[in-house]
Amino acid sequence: LSPIYPNPSNGRVSIEFEIGFATHILLQVVSLDAKQTYTLLNKVHLPGKYKYDWDGSHLPNGQYLIWLDNDLAPVTQRFMINK
């Protein structure tokens, strides 16, 4: 999982990741209080580089996590929405 860009953000972020083998990918945005969860991807991906542009400008200001889970282990990154 590459660094989230931009961070802090107005709600629009680019999420990039690379995988070396075919695997199931679950990509979510989760509020730090875990009250809001948005599933962006939930399917098998082939090896390669991926970029996902997400518009979360409808969300309130605050801190959120990008949660990327594959068949091995989850990876998270924190980012901030500040409009």
Side-chain angles (χ1 to χ4, degrees):
L1 185 60
S2 298
I4 304 303
Y5 180 81
N7 190 10
S9 164
N10 64 0
R12 292 182 175 94
V13 295
S14 291
I15 305 162
E16 297 181 30
F17 60 94
E18 183 175 359
I19 53 176
F21 54 91
T23 185
H24 180 263
I25 295 291
L26 176 61
L27 181 65
Q28 295 181 311
V29 174
V30 181
S31 62
L32 284 186
D33 62 8
K35 291 183 180 179
Q36 299 174 338
T37 301
Y38 301 91
T39 299
L40 310 181
L41 297 172
N42 189 9
K43 64 180 185 175
V44 173
H45 282 67
L46 297 176
K49 293 181 180 181
Y50 295 89
K51 180 180 178 184
Y52 191 91
D53 293 320
W54 182 66
D55 184 359
S57 58
H58 62 284
L59 296 176
N61 289 347
Q63 294 190 40
Y64 296 84
L65 291 176
I66 297 292
W67 175 277
L68 176 69
D69 196 0
N70 59 25
D71 293 331
L72 297 177
V75 178
T76 61
Q77 273 194 35
R78 188 181 293 204
F79 75 100
M80 179 179 286
I81 294 178
N82 189 9
K83 297 179 245 178

